[in-house]
Amino acid sequence: MDNTGESGRKLTETAGENVPATVSNLDSHWPEILDTVRQRVGHQTFQTWYRPLAPLAGDAGGLQVSCPNHFFLDWFSEHQLHHLNDAGTAYFGHEVLFELVVSNEVVKLGVPGPEAAPAPETVVSRPAATTVPVETIVMPERPQTNLNPDYVFSNFVVGSGTDLAYAAATAISDNPGHHFNPLFIHGGVGLGKTHLMQAIGNRIAIQRPQARILYTTAENFMNDLVKSIQESHTPDFKLRYRSVDVLLVDDVAFMAGKESTQEEFFHTFNALYNFKKQIVFTSDRSPKEITRLEERLRSRFEWGLITDIQPPNLETRIAILRRKVDINNIYIADDVIEFIAEHITDNIRRLEGALVRLLAFASLTGREITLEMASEALSSFFQGTSTGPVKIADVMEVTADVHGFSVDQLKSKRRTQDLARARQIAMHLARELTGASLNKIGRSFGNRDHSTVAYACKKISDEMETDPRFRGAVRDLMERIRKRS
């Protein structure tokens, strides 16, 4: 039986032995190997980590593949090498272990075990002078990042609500520690704050391979602090957080009210800032809106640039979905994409979740993705991910409870200062969350005149404009109402 198969790509008969035929011309088969890899990894991962690879041409190349730098090699060897080896093994029909070359250094990434097939001398032929044993290579000491490689600038869709944050993030990536330090990005859940933050880290890691980059959440920072105290390892804790070049901290509002955590973070911030190390924060609200935050820490959050991320408009939501569709190499009609974008308005994660659900539904049922099918598949998803319409009664109940009153008191004619303020806040939120007319809201609050409601709405809106802490408190109340409805 002829073992070559498919134009002799698998094996070649040499002196009566089956020997890999492709080691001397890996470049001619490289496109097909990449096609095999493409089926195993996501589009963005493929573009980021496989496109830069190139096989070494000629007999000396063997199974060597060139890559841009040592950072790339380190990350690839830990996260992607097995996919490349598996693809080569599937393509050639026998075990394949690739090597990477960086600046004329050969680093062996796959070492055959005792059972491995072909002996090295039958697989690779290259001048001894170019071979560097793995034991003799001294790789630059570099901490591994804990960043998500899919969070890069190239797959972040920029819209009118994210253009400033995006511009600041890219500027920081090119010159960390100098401009916009610290950078404070705030906005609602699922709008891309973490994506932008980690994209900064990923770009710096590529451009500055020696940079020490640490991504963490405020909660993890606190947990690490507590653990270090319990185990008497506080020097190690300080060293870990104060020796980095880039510190990325997610959800810093979590520190509110936690005095010891704020104390330690204050000194960590100072240590990094004084040495011009880049610091990036994210939060669901601006520094002024974070209640129970020490003033000295709040002021440091405000030293650099504060920028917000707004919910994407319809055009941006459509662009996000189209980008996701392109990345996954699938086709979905424009009317289906617009249908999803019109029903999910405030959260990018929900947009992506709806798309995943739609694809799963189509795969399981074998049906074509049409507008009718999308409506059927996503009807329960829209209900499950939305809090539903807010009612005036919901607003009154939550507001009354938070302020220590009853709904009947909100409806009453009593006008004590605290009660009147709670009533005005409830009227404002009823207008914002329900869209009800001034007359309807007035009737719900004890048959009050529409002018009374209008005055209350304006008073609360004006105060929110001038008092960030009050604005933060009202927004917290708004979220509680939405979750209840």
Side-chain angles (χ1 to χ4, degrees), residues 88-101:
T89 298
Y91 180 79
F92 293 125
H94 61 81
E95 184 176 12
V96 168
L97 298 169
F98 287 97
E99 296 175 348
L100 258 63
V101 176

Side-chain angles (χ1 to χ4, degrees), residues 411 413 439-450 452-453:
K411 295 180 179 181
K413 301 300 181 182
N439 284 326
K440 182 176 181 180
I441 295 173
R443 288 195 298 271
S444 299
F445 282 82
N447 292 318
R448 282 177 164 81
D449 187 81
H450 75 280
T452 302
V453 180

Side-chain angles (χ1 to χ4, degrees), residues 242-298:
R242 300 183 189 183
S243 64
V244 298
D245 299 301
V246 181
L247 179 62
L248 312 170
V249 185
D250 231 339
D251 191 24
V252 293
F254 179 85
M255 295 184 187
K258 300 172 178 65
E259 296 181 2
S260 297
T261 301
Q262 292 185 52
E263 173 75 19
E264 181 60 36
F265 192 78
F266 172 79
H267 296 296
T268 298
F269 179 99
N270 287 342
L272 294 175
Y273 185 87
N274 289 339
F275 284 95
K276 296 187 181 302
K277 306 303 183 181
Q278 183 63 55
I279 310 168
V280 183
F281 304 119
T282 71
S283 173
D284 61 350
R285 67 198 85 171
S286 71
K288 289 186 180 299
E289 295 172 344
I290 303 176
T291 57
R292 297 189 298 161
L293 186 68
E294 292 183 9
E295 281 301 326
R296 60 177 182 170
L297 194 55
R298 190 194 314 277

